[in-house]
Amino acid sequence: MASKHEEIAEQLIEEILSGRYRATDRLPSERDLAARFQVNRGAVREAMKRLEQLGLAAVQPGGARVQALEDSSLDVVGHLLQRGSLPDAELVDAILEVLNALVRVAAEGALVNATEEQLQALRRLVAPLVAGNLDVDSHQAARLELMGAFMETSGNLVCRLIARALLEQFAPRMEPLRPFADEELDIPAYTAYYQQLDAAIANRNVDALNLALKGFSDLNRETIMRAFLAAKIAEQQSPQYAEAALS
C-alpha cells in the first residue's frame, strides 16, 4: 500500500505529465497541498523531494516550479509508460529504437573484445534461437539472455546501466500488450536473422553483425506496432469500452 507522500507524488506527477502544470508553472504551496490531500506538510515535502529526484520540479525558496520534461531524469519513462490502459505507441517505439541501438553498440564491442571462449559462449546462447523450435516464452527468455551476454561481454558499463534502467521500467508496462505481441511473433522470420547473427559472431564480422541486428530490430518494432493495432481493436470491441464511449 502506497504511503501518503507517494500518493501525493503520483498525483502531482500525473498532473504535470498530463499538462495541467506546464514548464515554469508554480506548483501549489505546501499549505495548499496539505489542505487538498488532508495531510501534514511533512508528507507534502517528501512528495516534492520525489518530484525533484525525477527532475520534474525545482524546489526553491518561495515555492516549487515545474521543469521541462526534457530536463527530467530517465526514471520519468516509467511514469510516461503507465499512463492509459496501454502504453503510448510512439513512446514504446522510441524506447525500442534506443534499446536496439544499445544492443548494437554492446554487440559490436563484444565481437571486438571477446576472447575465443567468450565468442563460443555467445554462439551457444544463439544456438537455441537458430534452431527455431522454441515456444514464445522460451524465445523471449533466450533473447533477453543473449542481450545480457552481449552487454556483459562488451565491457561497456554505461551501455549496461542505461539499458538496465530502461528495461526495468519498460518490461512491466508492456505486460498488457504481451498477449498480442505473442500472437504477432513470427519466429521463422526471427530465425533467419539469428542465423545471420551466428555467422557474424563466428567470423567476427562487425558489418554482418550490424546488418543482422538491424534486420532483427526492424522486425521487432514492426511486431510490436502490429500488437498495438490488435490491442486497440480488442479494446474497442470490449463491453467496457462501449460503455465508456456512451457515458
Side-chain angles (χ1 to χ4, degrees):
M1 183 175 177
S3 65
K4 277 294 183 182
H5 76 264
E6 289 171 334
E7 291 177 6
I8 296 167
E10 287 300 319
Q11 184 61 41
L12 292 174
I13 290 166
E14 171 57 25
E15 290 173 359
I16 292 170
L17 296 181
S18 68
R20 176 175 175 180
Y21 299 112
R22 300 181 182 277
T24 74
D25 282 354
R26 188 182 293 278
L27 290 170
S29 67
E30 281 186 8
R31 178 183 298 174
D32 289 342
L33 288 171
R36 173 186 170 186
F37 292 104
Q38 298 183 331
V39 295
N40 59 50
R41 292 172 71 167
V44 173
R45 290 191 197 102
E46 288 300 313
M48 297 308 298
K49 286 180 183 177
R50 178 57 181 152
L51 265 65
E52 274 198 301
Q53 289 170 352
L54 290 170
L56 289 175
V59 179
Q60 302 167 341
R65 288 190 181 276
V66 176
Q67 299 201 117
L69 188 58
E70 293 79 5
D71 296 328
S72 61
S73 78
L74 191 61
D75 289 338
V76 168
V77 169
H79 294 279
L80 288 167
L81 284 169
Q82 69 184 8
R83 301 184 69 234
S85 57
L86 291 171
D88 180 77
E90 289 186 9
L91 177 61
V92 167
D93 192 50
I95 293 169
L96 287 173
E97 186 176 11
V98 171
L99 283 172
N100 291 331
L102 290 170
V103 170
R104 287 200 296 273
V105 169
E108 184 173 336
L111 210 62
V112 171
N113 299 320
T115 64
E116 200 59 37
E117 183 179 354
Q118 289 173 320
L119 211 65
Q120 294 308 312
L122 288 172
R123 294 194 67 195
R124 283 194 294 273
L125 292 177
V126 178
L129 294 162
V130 170
N133 55 7
L134 297 175
D135 59 36
V136 171
D137 288 341
S138 299
H139 181 263
Q140 175 72 2
R143 282 167 54 183
L144 288 173
E145 187 177 9
L146 177 61
M147 185 176 78
F150 277 139
M151 293 286 175
E152 184 176 353
T153 307
S154 74
N156 190 325
L157 177 61
V158 174
C159 191
R160 293 175 67 182
L161 291 174
I162 296 173
R164 185 178 66 186
L166 276 175
L167 275 174
E168 286 177 350
Q169 298 177 78
F170 183 65
R173 273 74 177 195
M174 292 297 287
E175 281 302 311
L177 196 68
R178 185 171 177 184
F180 302 96
D182 289 349
E183 289 180 7
E184 296 293 333
L185 195 66
D186 184 351
I187 290 182
Y190 279 98
T191 300
Y193 289 117
Y194 293 132
Q195 291 169 346
Q196 295 176 28
L197 184 62
D198 182 55
I201 294 171
N203 296 307
R204 291 187 187 263
N205 188 326
V206 172
D207 290 339
L209 175 89
N210 284 325
L211 193 61
L213 288 174
K214 184 182 184 308
F216 170 84
S217 66
D218 289 346
L219 177 60
N220 196 39
R221 290 169 68 187
E222 290 168 10
T223 300
I224 295 298
M225 290 306 110
R226 288 198 302 271
F228 263 110
L229 180 60
K232 284 292 185 185
I233 292 171
E235 186 178 61
Q236 291 168 7
Q237 292 174 343
S238 69
Q240 294 87 345
Y241 183 91
E243 288 174 9
L246 291 172
S247 63

